Amino acid sequence: PNDIPVLLDVKRGDIGSTAAAYAEACYEEKDGLNAGGVTLSPLMGWDSVSPFITGKYADKGAFVLCKTSNPGSNDILALNLQQQTVFEKIAGLANEWSSSAASDSPTSSTTPRLGLVVGATDPSALSKARKAAGSKLWILAPGVGAQGGDLDAACRAG
């Protein structure tokens, strides 16, 4: 049904022109997938994220990979950068980028354009990501159930 938003778990992240083409493929109603939102990798920076939440897609949303539930995510996302981890830096940037996109929107809505993907299997990371991002961003927390995440612990943490 058209009134139910669809989130594509595509984990896109590419240079600006390619990101714009991916956004079109994900969002366009006629020739695309007509999604309401997507998951993105933020590791290439703002210019790889912005085509999905600005301009003609300012009414769309996206969740950026912040601290995923797979064990290998610690290889990069848990690395320390002076006073914070990579995933905490991503959470803070997502908050900044979301605010910037909302303020540049033609509707001037304060609705967050970005959320975070943080695995429910790591309540400590959820708590740290929430603290770094602030209270406005939504958190998509996969991993409850078969992957071992605890719903109550995830809710308390993030």
Side-chain angles (χ1 to χ4, degrees), residues 24-95:
E24 184 175 330
C26 291
Y27 292 146
E28 288 299 318
E29 189 171 345
K30 184 178 178 197
D31 295 322
L33 296 171
N34 195 25
V38 295
T39 57
L40 301 173
S41 172
L43 295 180
M44 290 184 70
W46 170 241
D47 57 330
S48 71
V49 172
S50 64
F52 290 89
I53 59 169
T54 62
K56 66 181 180 177
Y57 304 122
D59 63 333
K60 302 294 185 177
F63 287 85
V64 297
L65 301 176
C66 182
K67 177 62 175 75
T68 56
S69 58
N70 61 304
S73 73
N74 288 326
D75 295 348
I76 295 172
L77 299 175
L79 292 174
N80 281 310
L81 304 172
Q82 297 173 358
Q83 301 297 320
Q84 62 186 348
T85 61
V86 171
F87 77 83
E88 288 169 298
K89 178 68 173 178
I90 289 170
L93 285 171
N95 187 39

Side-chain angles (χ1 to χ4, degrees), residues 2-16:
N2 289 337
D3 60 337
I4 298 175
V6 172
L7 176 66
L8 294 179
D9 189 13
V10 293
K11 299 176 181 78
R12 293 288 179 220
D14 212 323
I15 63 171

